[in-house]
């Protein structure tokens, strides 16, 4: 199985992150020194994916611009002798090939993926959500690509979540056939706690087969009135073509403020130049009563 393309849906309105996202795409909010979407693209690159298909809307053009050259800025940095920064901004532009497809109406994640059908029609492809961050020794998506190649099946990334949090996620039922790998039999989007088939929650990493497009094409709206990718994946599970892999590493949902802020601190604590000063300031904040 050869996987070259990654679909990154970024067409959502980011309502949980308002008012910050009134005019700035959620995916362009910075975490430490980089916009969220750059971390996602870098994870894809580490896994050897070079072709990025952004599913966008009319307010998301700056995401494409971020991965393009900016000659005025490059001239300014050259004139100012800021060569390290010059290299960095050029590196971001040269990182990947970008294709953009507009999702004209935000009908849900399943519909966003369906928008990639013309670009990915005959090949398996990766999907990474534009607001879901994974860090660790192995890039999150590379763990799924490895499993997809070994099993010749579609794959969803899952993590264990506390039982009382399952209703925020799509949840799977499956039989563990190797350590951390499950044959998926059932998927439920945002179940009530009592209806959840397990505490294995789907997060924003997938490897999909092109037959998902036919399934999505006939998919009716599900929870929240949205066309849900989770519901369409049941079609692959019914044909025994879907496995789940428990992902290793740190995961942050950048659409949630606590997670977003924690991700910022996580990176700053990994920067030797910042670490000591940051810890000192955090301790001061925790001990003061204002
Ligand atoms: P979310 O539901 O987390 O993102 O969708 P959202 O809709 O932007 O944010 P909230 O919930 O209103 O705060 C997960 C991912 O799917 C994309 C989003 O951009 C996000 O990256 N998405 C969602 C689409 O591209 N199109 C859609 O119709 C829905």
């Amino acid at each position: 199985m050869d996987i070259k393309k990654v679909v990154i849906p970024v067409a959502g309105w980011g309502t949980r992150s308002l008012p910050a996202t009134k005019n700035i795409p959620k995916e362009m909010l910075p975490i430490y020194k980089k916009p969220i979407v750059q971390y996602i693209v870098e994870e894809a690159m580490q896994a050897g994916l070079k072709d990025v298909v952004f599913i966008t809307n009319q307010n998301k053009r700056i995401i494409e611009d971020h991965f393009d050259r900016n000659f005025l800025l490059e001239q300014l940095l050259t004139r100012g002798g800021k060569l390290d920064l010059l290299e960095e901004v050029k590196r971001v532009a040269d990182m990947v090939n970008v294709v953009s497809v507009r999702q004209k109406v935000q009908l849900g994640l399943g519909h966003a993926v369906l928008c990639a059908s013309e670009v990915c029609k005959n090949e398996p492809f990766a999907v990474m959500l534009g607001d879901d961050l994974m860090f660790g020794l192995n890039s999150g998506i590379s763990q799924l690509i490895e499993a997809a190649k070994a099993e010749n099946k579609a794959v969803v990334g899952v993590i264990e979540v506390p039982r009382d949090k399952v209703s925020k996620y799509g949840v799977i039922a499956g039989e563990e056939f190797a350590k951390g790998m499950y044959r998926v039999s059932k998927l439920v989007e945002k179940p009530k706690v009592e209806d959840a088939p397990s505490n294995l929650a789907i997060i924003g990493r997938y490897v999909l087969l092109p037959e998902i497009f036919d399934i999505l094409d006939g998919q009716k709206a599900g929870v929240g009135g949205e066309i849900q990718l989770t519901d369409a994946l049941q079609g692959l599970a019914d044909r025994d073509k879907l496995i789940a892999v428990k992902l290793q590493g740190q995961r942050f949902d950048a659409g949630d403020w606590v997670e977003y802020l924690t991700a910022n601190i996580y990176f700053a604590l990994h920067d030797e130049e910042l670490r000591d000063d940051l810890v000192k300031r955090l301790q001061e904040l925790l001990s003061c009563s204002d």
Side-chain angles (χ1 to χ4, degrees), residues 118-288:
E118 279 304 309
V119 187
C120 301
K121 45 181 152 194
N122 298 319
E123 47 187 317
F125 58 97
V127 176
M128 299 171 72
L129 296 196
D131 57 357
D132 218 333
L133 294 160
M134 286 284 317
F135 304 101
L137 280 182
N138 277 333
S139 102
I141 195 67
S142 71
Q143 297 172 46
L144 300 198
I145 290 175
E146 208 179 295
K149 287 184 172 166
E151 300 296 323
N152 212 20
K153 291 189 176 168
V155 190
V156 290
V158 294
I159 57 170
E160 277 186 66
V161 296
R163 270 264 164 197
D164 61 337
K165 296 275 190 312
V166 283
S167 47
K168 289 166 74 177
Y169 297 88
V171 177
I172 65 148
E175 172 208 341
E176 191 169 20
F177 65 94
K179 194 170 181 329
M181 296 173 86
Y182 304 82
R183 207 164 282 119
V184 179
S185 53
K186 193 169 171 214
L187 305 99
V188 194
E189 182 62 30
K190 300 192 173 58
K192 288 188 192 141
V193 175
E194 58 275 22
D195 297 336
S198 74
N199 68 337
L200 291 171
I202 303 172
I203 61 154
R205 300 288 180 276
Y206 310 79
V207 173
L208 300 180
L209 306 173
E211 58 202 82
I212 194 74
F213 294 127
D214 282 342
I215 304 172
L216 280 169
D217 208 15
Q219 190 67 51
K220 296 207 170 65
V223 175
E226 297 196 346
I227 298 177
Q228 298 286 356
L229 181 59
T230 307
D231 297 342
L233 290 171
Q234 185 66 51
L236 292 178
D238 291 343
R239 298 171 207 180
D240 190 23
K241 287 200 170 160
L242 183 68
I243 60 169
V245 168
K246 207 194 282 182
L247 284 168
Q248 308 293 331
Q250 288 286 348
R251 182 251 175 182
F252 302 100
D253 170 7
D256 173 287
W257 283 119
V258 171
E259 293 278 302
Y260 173 81
L261 295 167
T262 313
N264 273 284
I265 294 170
Y266 173 83
F267 276 102
L269 288 176
H270 281 79
D271 181 330
E272 279 183 21
E273 268 180 40
L274 290 194
R275 190 190 158 86
D276 291 349
D277 287 346
L278 179 70
V279 169
K280 197 164 146 239
R281 288 293 284 129
L282 289 174
Q283 279 165 345
E284 280 168 17
L285 281 180
L286 286 169
S287 62
C288 96

Side-chain angles (χ1 to χ4, degrees), residues 8-18 26-27 55-56 60 103 105-113 128-132 190 226-227 253 255:
I8 307 184
V10 292
W13 284 96
T15 52
R16 284 177 296 158
S17 308
L18 283 168
K26 171 169 63 175
E27 300 78 12
I55 310 299
T56 69
K60 303 279 180 154
Q103 184 190 26
V105 189
Q106 279 58 61
L107 298 178
L109 177 60
H111 180 257
V113 171
M128 299 171 72
L129 296 196
D131 57 357
D132 218 333
K190 300 192 173 58
E226 297 196 346
I227 298 177
D253 170 7

